[in-house]
Amino acid sequence: SGIACHFANIGAEVLLLDIVPNQLTEAEEKKGLTLESKVVRNRIVNDNLAAALKSNPSPIYDKKFADRIATGNTTDDLPKIKDVDWIIEVVVERLDIKKAVYEQIEKYRKPGTLITSNTSGIPIHFMSEGRSEDFQEHFCGTHFFNPVRYLKLFEIIPGPKTKSEVLDFLNEYGDKFLGKTSVVAKDTPAFIGNRIGIYGIMSLFHLVKEMGLTIEEVDKLTGPVIGRPKSATFRTVDVVGLDTLVHVANGLYENVPSDEAHELFKLPDFINHMMENKWLGSKTKQGFYKKVDKDILSLDLNTLEYRPQQKASFQTLELTKTIDKVVDRFKVLVKGKDKAGDFYRKSFAGLFAYVSNRVPEITDDLYKIDDAMKAGFGWEHGPFQIWDAIGVETALEFMKEAGEKPAAWIEEMLASGNKSFYTVKEGANYYYDIPSKSQKKVPGQDAFIILDNIRETKKVWG
């Protein structure tokens, strides 16, 4: 429903289909309706769309835009897809069900129609197996981050036979019309955003116990002070749903056995306890935080009982209060002499090593990891930008202390005379390209004058 609303927002006509219910509700029985009644057959799709339109923040710009969405069900209305240009599949994350849906789609779609899957974890190359050549050429993954209207990341994941013009079209359409940051990712588990994002959250779950931190302290350290959303870590998990996070983490644990951080994707005991008790966050009215009357209580990770919130304060954070620009705070934070300083050194050491080791596995270009984290998780700066802000060599020192091993290309980069991942030349942004050991221009900026890049020379145009 969220994806349908966002396409309606930009003026597209949408056909939204869902499955037919297999039993009547009490209210339907009282009205004398049967399973054959049209209103019953479209109940699931209509209820879900109505719930989405009522949700806050709203997925739609203007309530009347919802008129652009026609609803139906996958049994009666699938033949209508012969008239559409783009079919997006958003069914449950099970390969057998997805393949059954594609078999049905193949019967009705006209050649040349785009088919994409909003999967967050199933490999794209498994999905289109056995389908026609035209289907496979026009098929790929398009992973929207939720809530679709507000999170900008749009991951495009090519299948083995996806045509390059299909990828070019989606890249441009996502950017120009959907208002997204389009990132073409490789077909690896969880793609880019969730691979790095879930690593970040899971490593914090382990670090919080190791360092004896409270959830309030972690949320204070990982929120706006470092350019992340107010909901920081634990509150974000409550909003997204612990079950969603666990689903992706379990998928990664199973599918990346040779990942050097493999053990971090294993769920700590307190997460298992929360899952058993259905403390999944906002959807079950309690997670890491729980609202009781007007008070918000926090979960004590040692006793696993809720207690009144405790104020978190650190001397290191006090030192950053006068530093307005987030990017200038990182140098100060990693020099902290208290628990906060230790936390930043340890967590950044792990993050930097992890992202360096993911190139070229999940993407060939380091800037795509930064783009994905900024657009999908609301970070103001991506991992490589933060590393630059601290200083590549400075960070290597505390990474060594923390026992974290970055990829070999980092030393090669420094040896080749490149001391940072990004540079600005003649008003344009450049990134370090690993194969050529040189700085390459970040694509997509030729139509813009980026004021930050020309502040030094003060020359806009000549």
Side-chain angles (χ1 to χ4, degrees):
S1 298
I3 295 174
C5 286
H6 195 58
F7 275 84
N9 284 335
I10 67 161
E13 297 289 328
V14 186
L15 173 64
L16 180 64
L17 305 179
D18 211 324
I19 55 173
V20 171
N22 54 14
Q23 62 189 71
L24 293 168
T25 62
E26 270 181 39
E28 286 166 344
E29 278 176 1
K30 277 182 187 158
K31 284 181 185 166
L33 296 169
T34 68
L35 283 173
E36 294 311 307
S37 313
K38 185 78 175 157
V39 61
V40 174
R41 292 176 79 75
N42 288 351
R43 174 186 5 114
I44 293 176
V45 68
N46 289 331
D47 285 358
N48 282 332
L49 180 58
L53 291 170
K54 277 199 195 102
S55 65
N56 187 16
S58 175
I60 204 131
Y61 299 165
D62 188 312
K63 286 283 186 276
K64 64 176 182 283
F65 291 174
D67 296 345
R68 295 170 182 160
I69 304 171
T71 57
N73 66 71
T74 47
T75 308
D76 306 328
D77 301 300
L78 210 57
K80 293 178 181 171
I81 66 171
K82 70 180 191 322
D83 300 320
V84 306
D85 304 305
W86 182 356
I87 300 158
I88 305 180
E89 165 273 305
V90 198
V91 305
V92 64
E93 289 285 85
R94 262 182 52 191
L95 184 60
D96 55 338
I97 296 177
K98 288 186 186 289
K99 290 187 93 157
V101 170
Y102 297 148
E103 199 170 321
Q104 292 302 309
I105 287 174
E106 184 97 89
K107 288 178 188 169
Y108 301 109
R109 76 175 269 273
K110 63 177 184 285
T113 305
L114 301 172
I115 320 101
T116 69
S117 172
N118 183 54
T119 182
S120 57
I122 297 177
I124 301 301
H125 58 275
F126 289 151
M127 291 191 199
S128 57
E129 276 173 352
R131 301 268 58 88
S132 69
E133 190 75 10
D134 186 82
F135 189 107
Q136 293 192 39
E137 286 175 350
H138 292 87
F139 177 79
C140 66
T142 48
H143 182 213
F144 290 85
F145 271 56
N146 205 17
V148 181
R149 176 180 165 188
Y150 299 93
L151 284 179
K152 295 190 72 162
L153 182 56
F154 179 56
E155 290 178 315
I156 301 162
I157 310 96
K161 294 186 177 170
T162 314
K163 281 181 165 178
S164 60
E165 53 262 44
V166 168
L167 299 175
D168 293 344
F169 167 78
L170 290 169
N171 213 345
E172 188 182 10
Y173 193 90
D175 187 45
K176 195 179 274 185
F177 297 103
L178 293 170
K180 300 289 175 196
T181 298
S182 303
V183 175
V184 177
K186 290 188 179 183
D187 191 7
T188 52
F191 316 127
I192 300 177
N194 277 336
R195 180 73 175 271
I196 307 300
I198 300 296
Y199 161 82
I201 293 171
M202 292 304 292
S203 67
L204 282 182
F205 282 172
H206 293 281
L207 199 57
V208 65
K209 293 293 278 183
E210 183 192 314
M211 293 186 68
L213 291 159
T214 65
I215 65 171
E216 295 96 326
E217 287 176 326
V218 172
D219 276 355
K220 177 95 171 170
L221 294 167
T222 58
V225 67
I226 58 167
R228 310 264 170 95
K230 268 209 307 273
S231 55
T233 301
F234 290 106
R235 213 176 276 283
T236 298
V237 174
D238 275 357
V239 172
V240 170
L242 185 65
D243 51 341
T244 306
L245 174 90
V246 163
H247 176 74
V248 185
N250 284 339
L252 281 168
Y253 187 74
E254 285 160 30
N255 295 315
V256 289
S258 55
D259 188 311
E260 76 282 2
H262 183 244
E263 286 308 300
L264 279 181
F265 294 114
K266 211 180 205 162
L267 303 173
D269 293 342
F270 68 87
I271 297 292
N272 288 323
H273 179 83
M274 291 173 75
M275 289 294 288
E276 281 159 22
N277 284 308
K278 298 260 188 292
W279 298 350
L280 307 179
S282 309
K283 64 176 89 168
T284 58
K285 305 279 189 276
Q286 66 189 98
F288 291 105
Y289 294 96
K290 176 183 179 180
K291 197 169 183 188
V292 177
D293 300 324
K294 286 186 177 168
D295 299 322
I296 292 174
L297 306 179
S298 303
L299 186 65
D300 184 311
L301 297 182
N302 296 316
T303 64
L304 293 177
E305 285 172 0
Y306 289 94
R307 53 154 178 77
Q309 281 195 343
Q310 297 168 354
K311 198 165 163 35
S313 65
F314 296 96
Q315 188 51 44
T316 295
L317 297 190
E318 297 300 312
L319 300 174
T320 62
K321 279 195 168 161
T322 54
I323 305 173
D324 288 339
K325 285 178 83 172
V326 172
V327 74
D328 297 332
R329 294 177 193 158
F330 294 111
K331 265 192 169 131
V332 177
L333 295 173
V334 296
K335 285 190 184 136
K337 301 274 190 281
D338 56 0
K339 216 176 197 179
D342 290 343
F343 170 82
Y344 287 122
R345 284 188 293 277
K346 274 188 179 163
S347 62
F348 284 143
L351 177 66
F352 296 163
Y354 194 73
V355 294
S356 72
N357 283 308
R358 298 287 73 75
V359 184
E361 181 199 342
I362 64 174
T363 175
D364 295 324
D365 309 311
L366 61 87
Y367 74 87
K368 288 182 180 171
I369 290 180
D370 283 353
D371 282 355
M373 295 318 296
K374 291 189 290 186
F377 285 79
W379 293 14
E380 202 171 312
H381 305 94
F384 290 105
Q385 291 172 316
I386 297 170
W387 195 344
D388 263 355
I390 291 166
V392 178
E393 289 164 295
T394 306
L396 286 177
E397 288 164 23
F398 63 71
M399 286 164 78
K400 207 177 200 167
E401 276 169 41
E404 296 289 355
K405 200 171 173 357
W409 65 264
I410 299 288
E411 290 293 354
E412 287 168 13
M413 176 180 100
L414 293 169
S416 69
N418 288 280
K419 300 293 181 208
S420 61
F421 301 108
Y422 294 98
T423 51
V424 173
K425 280 190 268 187
E426 291 151 12
N429 292 321
Y430 284 72
Y431 71 99
Y432 177 72
D433 175 60
I434 297 160
S436 68
K437 295 187 182 171
S438 65
Q439 296 280 338
K440 264 193 177 170
K441 197 173 187 178
V442 177
Q445 49 184 329
D446 293 340
F448 301 95
I449 291 173
I450 303 169
L451 295 177
D452 258 351
N453 294 349
I454 55 173
R455 286 191 203 286
E456 302 309 310
T457 62
K458 300 196 172 37
K459 181 176 177 180
V460 177
W461 189 75

